[in-house]
């Protein structure tokens, strides 16, 4: 008997989980979502991400393990499948101790450690000599990371799933248990995988009050600064951020950003956009021609995404709602890509547990 599995959500969490599940020919998968790759919407975080691998999980936490376990998968895809839209890029990380207590400083606190756990995970990690740092920087480091062109990578994941037999459909659910009747076979699903991100706050049967948005505003430009850069904070506001990354395969350069908790505003703030662009040029003057300011930036678009942050960390666990077996995989804040494979592997092992129990119940 095949396993009928419904995955709700086609962001990076749903697609990575469906991709891993689809590698088992016993699994018959339907992916159902309100938004699909190609859409840009405030309810859909994944297309807005940079996205890169800059670990932020506290040492010893699940978050740490999920990020650690994701690097080998991203590295393998980058090396084996250039059509997935990921490339290796140096990441330069700068820390100012004065940012420690700000929203952005807390978010980046693990990333900017001079001796972080991830130094043994990513290639070529090294501390930058103090003599070469700007006067306001306390420590800096460089390592090989990846930058993902989300507009290429998300459709690539869809393609891999379809190749393995998964079926994709649009649907909007008011209650999670309703998805059990939406499997493409017409039969009841054995298990629902919930990858609805921030919307799990409002989805019937879940209604997770621990979820909150961390608003990220970005500017996408055609200019190319070379390596990726991240700084622990800014002097413009405690929840503003400074990072730049050039996406693979002509995806442009993302200038960020902000980390505004509980801010749901979907529209780009033009003043914040100005600050983002000015800060980017200040830290990477090579972005524009000598003597130029923000008029030297060639803007593709302004954007806003809501990171699906969850107090206490992501929810990757089993549940039962109205007699329907559920595996949750949501609440990945600003690290949904860099923890994607780790979280999806945990979700897949939980799905296997549910399916084993189903088989036992039938014997
Ligand atoms: P989403 O991408 O939000 O997907 C949710 C899916 O569920 C959608 O398909 C939606 O339509 C569907 N859905 C929701 N409710 C329903 C419903 N009721 N019925 C049917 N379907 C439903 N992460 C990194 O790792 N690295 C980065 O560099 C990075 N940079 C970022 C920069 C910005 C500006 C932002 C905003 C985020 C960034 N992130 C980054 C975080 C990352 O984008 C998110 O953690 C990730 O995209 C969350 O993915 P998801 O699949 O869980 O949710």
């Amino acid at each position: 008997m095949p396993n009928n599995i419904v995955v709700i959500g086609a962001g990076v969490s749903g697609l990575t989980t469906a991709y891993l599940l689809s590698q088992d020919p016993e699994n018959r998968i339907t992916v159902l979502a309100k938004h699909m790759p190609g859409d840009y919407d405030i309810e859909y975080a994944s297309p807005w991400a940079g996205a890169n691998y800059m670990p932020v999980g506290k040492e010893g936490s699940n978050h740490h393990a999920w990020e650690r376990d994701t690097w080998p998968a991203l590295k393998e895809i980058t090396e084996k499948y250039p059509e997935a839209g990921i490339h290796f890029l140096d990441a330069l990380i700068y820390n100012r101790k004065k940012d420690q207590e700000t929203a952005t400083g807390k978010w980046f606190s693990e990333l900017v450690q001079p001796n972080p756990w991830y130094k043994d995970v990513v290639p070529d990690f090294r501390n930058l000599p103090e003599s070469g740092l700007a006067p306001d920087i306390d420590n800096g480091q460089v390592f090989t990371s990846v930058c993902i062109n989300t507009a290429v990578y998300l459709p690539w994941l869809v393609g891999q799933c379809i190749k393995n037999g998964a079926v994709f459909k649009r649907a909007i659910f008011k209650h999670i248990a309703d998805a059990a009747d939406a499997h493409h076979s017409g039969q009841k699903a054995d298990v629902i995988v919930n990858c609805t991100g921030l919307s799990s706050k409002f989805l019937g049967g879940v209604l997770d009050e621990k979820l909150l948005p961390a608003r990220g505003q970005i500017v996408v430009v055609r200019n190319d600064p070379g390596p990726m850069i991240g700084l622990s904070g800014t002097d413009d506001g405690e929840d503003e951020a400074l990072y730049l990354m050039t996406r693979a395969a002509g995806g442009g350069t993302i200038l960020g950003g902000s980390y505004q908790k509980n801010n749901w505003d979907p529209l780009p703030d033009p003043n914040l956009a100005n600050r983002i662009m000015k800060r980017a040029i200040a830290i990477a003057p090579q972005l524009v021609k000598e003597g130029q300011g923000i008029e030297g930036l060639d803007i593709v678009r302004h954007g806003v995404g809501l990171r699906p942050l969850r107090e206490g960390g992501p929810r990757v666990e089993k549940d039962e709602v109205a007699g329907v077996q559920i595996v949750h995989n949501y609440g990945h804040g600003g690290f949904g890509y860099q923890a994607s494979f780790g979280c999806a592997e945990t979700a897949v092992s939980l799905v296997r547990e549910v399916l084993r129990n189903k088989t036992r119940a039938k014997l």
Side-chain angles (χ1 to χ4, degrees):
M1 279 288 281
N3 306 310
N4 290 334
I5 302 172
V6 162
V7 177
I8 319 179
V12 68
S13 308
L15 295 177
T16 311
T17 312
Y19 173 47
L20 294 184
L21 285 168
S22 73
Q23 290 167 3
D24 180 346
E26 293 291 301
N27 292 338
R28 256 194 325 197
I29 298 157
T30 315
V31 180
L32 295 148
K34 183 173 178 185
H35 304 98
M36 290 282 177
D39 299 346
Y40 283 89
D41 195 283
I42 196 64
E43 292 178 13
Y44 188 26
S46 295
W48 299 110
N52 64 13
Y53 184 88
M54 289 200 181
V56 290
K58 290 267 169 300
E59 189 159 13
S61 64
N62 284 337
H63 183 166
H64 159 198
W66 287 323
E67 288 182 331
R68 181 197 60 208
D69 295 347
T70 298
W71 175 259
L74 290 179
K75 179 172 176 284
E76 187 183 331
I77 293 173
T78 310
E79 286 167 348
K80 270 201 192 162
Y81 307 104
E83 69 276 19
I86 310 181
H87 64 174
F88 292 113
L89 209 55
D90 277 352
L92 286 161
I93 308 295
Y94 296 115
N95 185 29
R96 309 185 309 177
K97 285 191 183 139
K98 68 174 178 181
D99 296 323
Q100 256 167 14
E101 294 310 315
T102 66
T104 307
K106 284 182 190 157
W107 166 33
F108 279 162
S109 69
E110 199 70 34
L111 175 72
V112 300
Q113 300 278 336
N115 187 25
W117 59 261
Y118 66 83
K119 70 179 191 308
D120 302 323
V121 176
V122 293
D124 314 317
F125 180 94
R126 59 190 193 282
N127 294 106
L128 296 168
E130 259 178 52
S131 55
L133 300 175
D136 62 336
I137 303 295
D138 293 295
N139 63 282
Q141 51 232 30
V142 61
F143 57 91
T144 300
S145 179
V146 287
C147 189
I148 303 170
N149 182 343
T150 61
V152 176
Y153 180 59
L154 296 171
W156 182 81
L157 283 173
V158 172
Q160 299 307 302
C161 294
I162 290 176
K163 205 160 72 177
N164 291 339
V167 172
F168 283 74
K169 289 182 178 209
R170 297 265 181 173
I172 303 177
F173 297 102
K174 287 206 161 68
H175 195 283
I176 191 158
D178 296 343
D181 297 317
H183 194 268
H184 68 272
S185 64
Q187 294 164 358
K188 199 141 186 110
D190 298 306
V191 55
I192 308 292
V193 187
N194 173 26
C195 301
T196 55
L198 191 56
S199 299
S200 276
K201 195 174 181 67
F202 311 108
L203 180 60
V206 187
L207 299 177
D208 189 335
E209 290 184 359
K210 290 186 180 162
L211 282 164
L212 67 149
R215 181 179 181 276
Q217 183 167 325
I218 52 150
V219 185
V220 188
V221 298
R222 295 187 179 86
N223 311 56
D224 185 345
M228 297 190 278
I229 302 176
L231 180 64
S232 54
T234 79
D235 295 330
D236 293 333
E238 296 218 341
D239 54 8
E240 296 193 18
L242 172 44
Y243 61 84
L244 3 164
M245 62 184 95
T246 302
R247 286 171 164 177
T253 298
I254 307 289
L255 311 180
S258 65
Y259 196 73
Q260 299 162 303
K261 290 187 185 174
N262 287 309
N263 184 335
W264 295 85
D265 189 352
L267 297 177
D269 167 356
N271 292 318
L272 175 53
N274 268 337
R275 293 196 292 276
I276 288 172
M277 292 187 283
K278 280 188 174 169
R279 291 194 294 253
I281 293 171
I283 204 162
Q286 71 275 19
L287 256 178
V288 290
K289 291 201 187 96
E290 210 180 326
Q292 281 186 325
I294 63 174
E295 76 282 3
L297 292 173
D298 187 356
I299 298 171
V300 180
R301 80 172 73 87
H302 294 271
V304 175
L306 301 179
R307 301 177 183 90
L309 199 61
R310 185 171 182 271
E311 284 164 30
R315 185 173 184 204
V316 190
E317 63 184 31
K318 287 190 292 181
D319 192 7
E320 188 181 323
V321 178
V324 175
Q325 300 301 313
I326 316 277
V327 171
H328 297 289
N329 183 12
Y330 67 81
H332 305 93
F335 49 89
Y337 284 84
Q338 64 200 31
S340 56
F341 278 89
C343 290
E345 281 157 12
T346 303
V348 169
S349 61
L350 296 172
V351 167
R352 281 202 203 105
E353 277 178 33
V354 172
L355 295 171
R356 267 200 304 273
N357 291 343
K358 169 195 97 171
T359 317
R360 252 188 244 133
K362 281 195 180 145
L363 292 176

